[in-house]
Amino acid sequence: MNLSEVFRRCKPLIVYICAGDPSPDETVEIAERIVRAGADVLELGLPHSDPIADGPVIQAASQRAIAAGMNTDLYFDIASRIDGVPKVFMGYYNMVYRRGLDRFASDCKASGICGMIVPDLPVEESRPLREAASRHGIDLINMIAPNTPDKRILEIISLSSGFVYLVARSGVTGASADLQESTRHLIERVPPVIPRAVGFGVSRPEHAAELVRAGADGVIVGSACVDLIGRSELDQLEDLIRRMKRAMTEVSVKSAASIRQS
Amino acid sequence: MDEISCEVRFGRYGGRFVPETLVQPLVELAEAFERLRADPEFSGELSKLMRDFAGRPTPLYRAENLSRAIGRDVYLKREDLLHGGAHKINNTLGQGLLAKYMKKKRLIAETGAGQHGVATAIVGALLGFETEIYMGEVDIERQRMNVYRMELLGARVIPVRSGSRTLKDAINEALRDWAASYESTHYLLGTVAGPHPYPSIVREFQRVIGDETKSQILAEEKRLPDSIVACVGGGSNAMGIFTPFIEDDVRLIAVEAGGRGQGMGTHSAEHGASLAFGDPGVLHGAMTKILQDPYGQILESYSIAAGLDYPGVGPELAHLVETGRVETATAGDKTAIMGFKALSKLEGIIPALESAHAVGYAIEHPEMLGELSVINISGRGDKDLHTVIAYESV
Ligand SMILES: Cc1ncc(COP(=O)(O)O)c(C=O)c1O
């Protein structure tokens, strides 16, 4: 299933984990539990030594994974062993560039990955990878931030496929207590010509529900899950995903019902 | 100043590889820089500060004893005489004033050895900013004195515990801070690395070194030098002195840290020579030459001189090396120590260990210098005495 189909079927809950954390051997099992709990898309991170867009939780996970021997070859090996869920790559540009853009996109394809998120690759730098990705039928997912001007949003959208990743707030990844008004405003500013998934700071079922209510087409949760993995609390991880998914579905069902009533 | 100096790319290097949140702050910074460098009020205020506060122009000193020892005419560009003890103040005054004109309230910076942190703290005090300096925990241990200096100057030093807990991680942390704080805060990056427009901004604020050198050598010798030698960490003192000579028939020699040797291990290299031994890749927002493993993880670098201990290098230097305009060389710890002692004994000038790499190289390779050479003494060596004592005792 490709990403457009996923978004046509539902408002997906997209779950990020750092491949190789706590060890390469455990990632497949963790991913299976996440899928079982109801994640619609798995965003599988390739750890980098210098993750400038990430907060302390994902930094720590990246360091654990690298220390446990994680590398790009193992990454694709792990990815190809995870079934039953659409998979998206997330990783920093140097890791992609170093392997070779075409080879990287081809390895994604071969291991069943359908999209790529590269947080340090803004649109004006993205052409070479976009071309390589599209040669292999992979979506390159662009990000839009609260401070992205309207004109630039249109440019970004025109160069996007799959979905766009709306960054809920300034700063880096990491759980936060509540959602900001600027997030709602951002969803309104991005025209719904392509699915809009919102991430950064989403950590509770209420956040996920609120985002769907505000018009998000999908919700991305990362640090909250990575934090539980770091503490080996996998039952709680499943529980969190289940509750998030349920909260999102309830909103969708209610709004569908209210549309039918009117 | 010419119009194309704020270029985004230098051949295949440079660019702006940053999270989307940082694009807009960088665009605003580039616009402000282009506008203000053409503003006579800004230039006037900066020139005055450079003269009265920092101590410019610095002398171009004909080093008779060193010249006699190596059989070449050698001049020293005395950036070690600047306030703060290094060329770093040229950039921090420029960017600090830029931040003031942009109405920012807070400065953040990274520092390795503490030199750039001190230079930022000085400007923060002078211009009334709240100043916070990111510094790796390992470096804080190595450079206690500079930590105290920064605090004395009113800055807060924030320990960085992520990654290798050194300079590269301090830059990561400053970028993360800026992504959340850009509305009130200017990120004062300390060298010609990082995303556009930093490589251009820092070069333009440092080129005063080369501009002065050019008029001084023409006044003294009625001709240009055959060569200019500068050490390279990120490349700001080198780009500063090289830039006005790019179109001239002058050998430009960039001396990197050869450290303990050419080895590269799983997580670290034995040197800081990204131009000589690095491969193209993206670090801290720019495509440049970097020290990395086969998968693209960044390696920790090594040098006895903390200011040269960086696994990347400015993208413009990477380009100038690739086109052959700038020549690279390496000088190891041993050569640097030799240069450090030689200049102290011969000329009564204790150079920074960083600058001592350029001095040591020149002493070992007089044949590369031509008849008339300029060595950039980017800083003074008082900060390094404890390092040299420790080196001697093993
Ligand atoms: C005295 C001195 N020289 C040189 C350097 C290296 O930096 P750059 O290559 O940017 O000049 C430093 C950095 O801290 C320094 O303190």
Side-chain angles (χ1 to χ4, degrees):
Chain A
M1 191 162 33
N2 69 25
L3 290 168
S4 313
E5 282 170 56
V6 173
F7 280 91
R8 227 173 290 131
R9 286 191 188 189
C10 70
K11 294 193 179 239
L13 174 63
I14 301 169
V15 176
Y16 169 92
I17 59 170
C18 174
D21 171 41
S23 74
D25 288 339
E26 286 158 277
T27 299
V28 176
E29 193 207 317
I30 292 171
E32 279 163 359
R33 292 183 70 153
I34 287 170
V35 175
R36 206 185 316 142
D40 301 295
V41 175
L42 181 71
E43 185 185 332
L44 193 59
L46 172 61
H48 183 44
S49 54
D50 294 75
I52 54 172
D54 286 302
V57 170
I58 295 179
Q59 285 173 42
S62 307
Q63 271 178 260
R64 284 194 296 267
I66 293 169
M70 191 58 200
N71 64 41
T72 314
D73 297 325
L74 281 173
Y75 177 88
F76 286 115
D77 182 47
I78 289 170
S80 58
R81 283 160 46 209
I82 301 171
D83 292 323
V85 65
K87 289 164 289 185
V88 170
F89 161 85
M90 136 77 212
Y92 288 83
Y93 191 54
N94 195 53
M95 301 295 288
V96 180
Y97 182 82
R98 182 71 161 161
R99 194 171 187 85
L101 305 185
D102 197 77
R103 179 174 169 210
F104 204 100
S106 148
D107 287 342
C108 282
K109 186 75 191 169
S111 54
I113 289 170
C114 55
M116 295 177 76
I117 300 171
V118 185
D120 59 344
L121 192 69
V123 271
E124 47 278 85
E125 304 288 359
S126 71
R127 203 171 83 186
L129 183 59
R130 207 167 55 240
E131 287 172 359
S134 109
R135 271 198 296 282
H136 296 277
I138 309 269
D139 293 317
L140 180 60
I141 289 128
N142 292 309
M143 298 177 115
I144 294 176
N147 62 357
T148 306
D150 289 339
K151 189 160 153 270
R152 187 176 162 83
I153 288 180
L154 297 181
E155 273 170 42
I156 292 174
I157 287 180
S158 74
L159 294 171
S160 295
S161 64
F163 65 93
V164 285
Y165 188 140
L166 273 49
V167 177
R169 56 172 167 76
S170 318
V172 293
T173 57
S176 66
D178 51 7
L179 293 174
Q180 296 171 355
E181 195 47 47
S182 59
T183 310
R184 243 178 294 272
H185 184 55
L186 180 61
I187 298 173
E188 283 164 21
R189 289 204 299 132
V190 181
V193 293
I194 182 166
R196 302 151 308 163
V198 183
F200 275 46
V202 182
S203 61
R204 299 180 186 175
E206 310 90 86
H207 298 159
E210 225 176 301
L211 287 170
V212 172
R213 228 175 279 127
D217 302 303
V219 172
I220 304 166
V221 56
S223 297
C225 296
V226 174
D227 186 41
L228 291 171
I229 294 170
R231 291 192 272 125
S232 306
E233 291 178 342
L234 298 187
D235 291 338
Q236 267 170 272
L237 172 67
E238 278 192 52
D239 184 54
L240 176 67
I241 291 167
R242 223 169 257 128
R243 286 188 295 127
M244 281 194 145
K245 183 62 193 172
R246 195 181 316 129
M248 290 168 67
T249 313
E250 276 166 13
V251 177
S252 306
V253 169
K254 265 186 215 151
S255 63
S258 73
I259 290 168
R260 267 197 301 278
Q261 270 169 14
S262 63
Chain B
M1 286 189 242
D2 54 30
E3 300 211 331
I4 53 141
S5 57
C6 207
E7 57 279 80
V8 179
R9 243 169 268 278
F10 311 95
R12 67 204 275 216
Y13 298 110
R16 198 170 54 200
F17 295 84
V18 293
E20 177 66 19
T21 312
L22 284 177
V23 171
Q24 203 51 29
L26 289 167
V27 167
E28 283 166 23
L29 179 60
E31 284 169 1
F33 176 63
E34 286 304 330
R35 180 164 39 84
L36 288 169
R37 65 205 295 245
D39 175 350
E41 192 190 320
F42 177 86
S43 319
E45 201 174 336
L46 182 57
S47 307
K48 195 162 181 310
L49 285 173
M50 288 281 211
R51 186 190 67 201
D52 301 340
F53 186 74
R56 300 216 73 91
T58 60
L60 182 70
Y61 172 68
R62 189 183 163 90
E64 296 288 357
N65 301 332
L66 177 62
S67 298
R68 211 172 305 120
I70 64 175
R72 301 287 191 281
D73 289 338
V74 176
Y75 281 79
L76 306 177
K77 181 58 175 166
R78 299 290 310 276
E79 296 296 293
D80 58 309
L81 294 176
L82 285 171
H83 179 39
H87 70 293
K88 298 281 172 190
I89 192 93
N90 301 326
N91 173 46
T92 56
L93 270 180
Q95 283 196 51
L97 203 58
L98 192 61
K100 191 177 136 191
Y101 276 65
M102 290 178 78
K103 306 214 162 35
K104 306 288 181 186
K105 299 276 176 282
R106 174 174 172 258
L107 296 179
I108 53 172
E110 80 292 345
T111 198
Q115 290 306 103
H116 174 58
V118 168
T120 303
I122 288 172
V123 168
L126 173 75
L127 300 177
F129 288 102
E130 179 195 348
T131 306
E132 298 196 297
I133 309 290
Y134 286 97
M135 188 170 187
E137 249 180 3
V138 171
D139 292 330
I140 288 180
E141 265 322 302
R142 291 196 281 206
Q143 307 285 339
R144 284 261 152 225
M145 195 69 97
N146 271 341
V147 173
Y148 185 68
R149 258 186 209 125
M150 288 183 266
E151 287 170 350
L152 193 60
L153 290 158
R156 198 162 78 89
V157 177
I158 306 177
V160 175
R161 302 196 170 88
S162 57
S164 57
R165 295 175 293 141
T166 59
L167 176 61
K168 84 175 172 64
D169 309 280
I171 298 178
N172 293 339
E173 214 47 44
L175 287 168
R176 291 180 187 120
D177 178 316
W178 203 40
S181 66
Y182 58 88
E183 281 178 8
S184 66
T185 300
H186 174 66
Y187 175 22
L188 208 166
L189 209 155
T191 188
V192 287
H196 168 75
Y198 284 107
S200 306
I201 290 183
V202 178
R203 176 199 62 209
E204 289 305 305
F205 287 138
Q206 288 292 0
R207 69 171 287 161
V208 63
I209 307 172
D211 287 332
E212 284 176 12
T213 300
K214 200 168 197 174
S215 51
Q216 288 165 324
I217 195 89
L218 286 173
E220 280 302 312
E221 295 284 336
K222 311 282 177 285
R223 73 167 182 107
L224 294 179
D226 299 316
S227 65
I228 300 176
V229 185
C231 67
V232 172
S236 68
N237 86 87
M239 283 308 299
I241 196 165
F242 290 169
T243 295
F245 295 91
I246 297 283
E247 304 295 326
D248 300 318
D249 185 19
V250 177
R251 287 183 92 155
L252 304 174
I253 304 173
V255 183
E256 294 186 291
R260 292 181 287 235
Q262 294 196 4
M264 283 205 229
T266 322
H267 296 297
S268 59
E270 294 293 313
H271 55 80
S274 348
L275 289 171
F277 306 127
D279 292 306
V282 169
L283 176 63
H284 296 139
M287 177 71 69
T288 184
K289 286 278 196 76
I290 57 184
L291 303 178
Q292 53 184 324
D293 82 359
Y295 294 106
Q297 307 290 15
I298 311 305
L299 299 178
E300 285 169 45
S301 51
Y302 165 78
S303 169
I304 193 170
L308 305 187
D309 194 350
Y310 179 56
V313 66
E316 188 170 13
L317 261 178
H319 173 64
L320 290 169
V321 167
E322 198 153 284
T323 61
R325 180 63 194 94
V326 169
E327 298 166 56
T328 60
T330 54
D333 289 359
K334 238 172 152 172
T335 303
I337 296 280
M338 179 276 288
F340 183 84
K341 290 184 174 169
L343 201 68
S344 304
K345 290 228 167 62
L346 283 168
E347 299 291 346
I349 295 169
I350 304 175
L353 270 178
E354 290 81 8
S355 326
H357 283 71
V359 175
Y361 172 82
I363 293 173
E364 285 181 356
H365 298 279
E367 77 285 356
M368 301 294 285
L369 306 180
E371 296 295 316
L372 178 63
S373 184
V374 175
I375 303 173
N376 196 17
I377 306 301
S378 54
R380 65 166 186 243
D382 310 53
K383 69 180 175 64
D384 296 313
L385 298 181
H386 68 283
T387 307
V388 177
I389 292 167
Y391 182 87
E392 296 289 88
S393 70
V394 288

